[in-house]
Amino acid sequence: MVESNGVELTEQEAELYDRQIRLWGLDSQKRIRAARVLIAGLNGLGAEIAKNTILAGVKSVTLLDDRKVTEEDFCSQFLAPQSALGSNRAEASLTRAQNLNPMVELKVDTEALATKPDEFFKEFDIVCIIGAPTAEYVRVDNVCREGNVKFFACDVWGMYGTFFEDLQEHEFVEDVYKHKVISKATKQQKEKTEMVCIPCKRVFKYPAYQALVDYDLSAPANARTLKQNRVALPLVRVLQKFRDDEQRDPAYGKREEDLKKLLELRDAMAPGMVPDSAFGNVFAQIAPVTAIVGGAVAHEIIKVVSQKEVPHKNLVLFDPEQCTATVVEVGCEN
C-alpha cells in the first residue's frame, strides 16, 4: 500500500494537479505524489504508460530498457525521436518524458531486466513490466509479492493487447451512491429523496501471475469464459509461448515463417479456438492500440496508488474484432 508519508503539495503542484484533486481528493493526490514506479520496456506501450503515469504526478518513474531504438519503434514509440535510431530506448525517451512533467523525478536504467537482482524491484511501489518472457514475469511477480509491491504485466501484439495485475491484498475506497430520504411521504406530497455518496472501504485479494500461466484453455470449467472472450485469450497465450520459444515477438520481416510457427502453436495449445486470419494482425505495435491499453494500465496504476475506485480483477484483454476490452478473473477466489 502506498502511504503519503507526510507528503505536502507545493502551491505550484496544487495548481498543476487542481483538476485531479477535485476528482479524487487531496489525500489521494498525496499518495500519488509519494508513489515510486518502475516501467520496464520502453516500446510503444511502455511509452504510453510512462506518459500517463508521469502526467498524473507520481514521485518518481524509472525507465528500464537495454534495447536499441529501431525503425519498428516509430510505429508507436513517440518518446524516442527518429534521430535516436540505434541508441538506447530508455535514454532516448528521457528528454520528452521529462518535458511532460518536470516535477516528476525520472531515472534511466539501461541494464537488462533479467540481470536485475531481486532487491532492485523492492525499491518501488509499482512494478510494470512490458514485453517480457514468461519466466521473467513469474520471477519479478514473486519478488514483488515478497516485498508487497504491486505488479503489472503488459503486452501489445499488433492489434491485440492485454495486461495482468497482481495487487496481492489491496485495500481501497469505493464511492457507493444511495438514495437518502429527506422527507417522508404525506397525504399532500410524495416521499422525497436525494442521492448521497458513501465512501466504503473494501479489500480485494489477487493471485500471482502463475495463475495465468496455469490457466487451462481446454478445461471445461473455462469454456464459458473463452466463449465470451472469443479469440483474445487463447491468442495472447499462443503469442506469449512464441516469445518464450523464439526469444522475440513475431516479426513482419519473417512473416511467413512466423505465421507457420504461430499456427503450429495454436493447433497444439488452442485447437479450434483462433482462426488463421487473427494471426495476420499481430505484427509490430499499432499506435491506437498502445494508446488504449497504455491508458488503461496507467489508469489502473493511479487507482492503485491513490486507493480510489475499484481495480480490475485481474486480466484485461483488448480484442480489435469487437473493439472492446474485457476483464477476466483468472485464479481469483473472491
Side-chain angles (χ1 to χ4, degrees):
M1 183 180 296
V2 180
E3 301 292 346
S4 61
N5 295 325
V7 169
E8 295 295 336
L9 301 183
T10 65
E11 183 176 341
Q12 186 179 8
E13 289 173 330
E15 181 179 352
L16 179 62
Y17 304 131
D18 176 70
R19 184 177 179 183
Q20 295 175 187
I21 293 171
R22 293 173 184 271
L23 179 62
W24 49 58
L26 181 59
D27 288 341
S28 292
Q29 186 62 44
K30 287 181 179 180
R31 293 191 188 98
I32 295 171
R33 189 67 184 87
R36 300 159 300 170
V37 180
L38 169 66
I39 299 176
L42 267 293
N43 53 19
L45 178 57
E48 285 286 354
I49 297 170
K51 177 198 72 175
N52 290 296
T53 305
I54 292 167
L55 288 174
V58 297
K59 175 181 176 60
S60 67
V61 175
T62 298
L63 308 176
L64 172 67
D65 201 323
D66 67 319
R67 298 186 181 183
K68 305 296 183 182
V69 178
T70 65
E71 291 185 354
E72 186 176 304
D73 287 315
F74 300 142
C75 294
S76 57
Q77 219 290 21
F78 55 87
L79 291 179
Q82 293 194 9
S83 59
L85 186 67
S87 61
N88 177 269
R89 279 201 303 202
E91 291 180 331
S93 302
L94 180 61
T95 300
R96 289 182 177 179
Q98 190 67 79
N99 289 338
L100 292 170
N101 190 343
M103 296 184 188
V104 175
E105 179 185 353
L106 295 188
K107 303 175 184 179
V108 166
D109 193 321
T110 60
E111 295 182 358
L113 176 67
T115 66
K116 306 304 289 186
D118 293 353
E119 292 304 314
F120 170 78
F121 301 100
K122 297 178 182 179
E123 299 174 0
F124 302 94
D125 301 297
I126 300 287
V127 167
C128 182
I129 310 296
I130 300 105
T134 300
E136 277 305 293
Y137 280 144
V138 172
R139 178 182 79 92
V140 176
D141 183 34
N142 288 338
V143 173
C144 288
R145 292 180 74 84
E146 292 176 3
N148 193 29
V149 177
K150 311 302 185 184
F151 171 82
F152 289 79
C154 317
D155 278 297
V156 163
W157 288 279
M159 297 293 289
Y160 291 87
T162 182
F163 65 90
F164 178 96
E165 51 192 281
D166 175 10
L167 309 183
Q168 301 156 47
E169 185 171 302
H170 179 62
E171 181 179 298
F172 61 96
V173 175
E174 179 183 13
D175 290 335
V176 178
Y177 291 88
K178 296 183 177 180
H179 286 281
K180 178 182 178 181
V181 177
I182 57 176
S183 65
K184 295 183 178 180
T186 64
K187 293 182 179 180
Q188 289 76 28
Q189 64 180 17
K190 295 181 180 179
E191 179 181 84
K192 290 186 178 180
T193 63
E194 67 177 4
M195 189 71 74
V196 296
C197 176
I198 303 174
C200 297
K201 284 190 176 182
R202 299 183 64 188
V203 177
F204 278 178
K205 293 184 178 180
Y206 288 74
Y209 184 83
Q210 186 66 44
L212 180 58
V213 177
D214 296 338
Y215 189 86
D216 188 353
L217 294 171
S218 62
N222 296 327
R224 182 176 180 182
T225 297
L226 291 169
K227 183 178 180 180
Q228 291 174 337
N229 292 281
R230 297 172 62 84
V231 304
L233 180 50
L235 178 68
V236 299
R237 300 311 299 150
V238 169
L239 288 163
Q240 185 69 37
K241 176 63 174 173
F242 180 98
R243 177 186 292 162
D244 294 341
D245 290 351
E246 304 297 321
Q247 299 183 359
R248 61 176 178 84
D249 286 343
Y252 187 79
K254 298 182 178 180
R255 183 182 178 89
E256 296 303 320
E257 174 187 338
D258 288 355
L259 280 174
K260 181 180 179 180
K261 173 68 174 177
L262 287 166
L263 294 177
E264 290 174 354
L265 289 172
R266 185 272 316 269
D267 293 340
M269 297 174 59
M273 296 184 186
V274 185
D276 293 2
S277 59
F279 290 103
N281 299 317
V282 300
F283 296 91
Q285 289 199 343
I286 310 302
V289 181
T290 59
I292 292 169
V293 178
V297 173
H299 187 206
E300 286 297 292
I301 290 174
I302 298 309
K303 286 196 290 185
V304 171
V305 297
S306 68
Q307 297 168 27
K308 290 281 287 185
E309 299 185 38
V310 183
H312 293 315
K313 291 178 64 180
N314 51 346
L315 176 67
V316 178
L317 299 158
F318 177 75
D319 185 344
E321 293 186 11
Q322 302 296 312
C323 201
T324 57
T326 306
V327 181
V328 180
E329 291 192 16
V330 175
C332 297
E333 298 179 357
N334 63 332

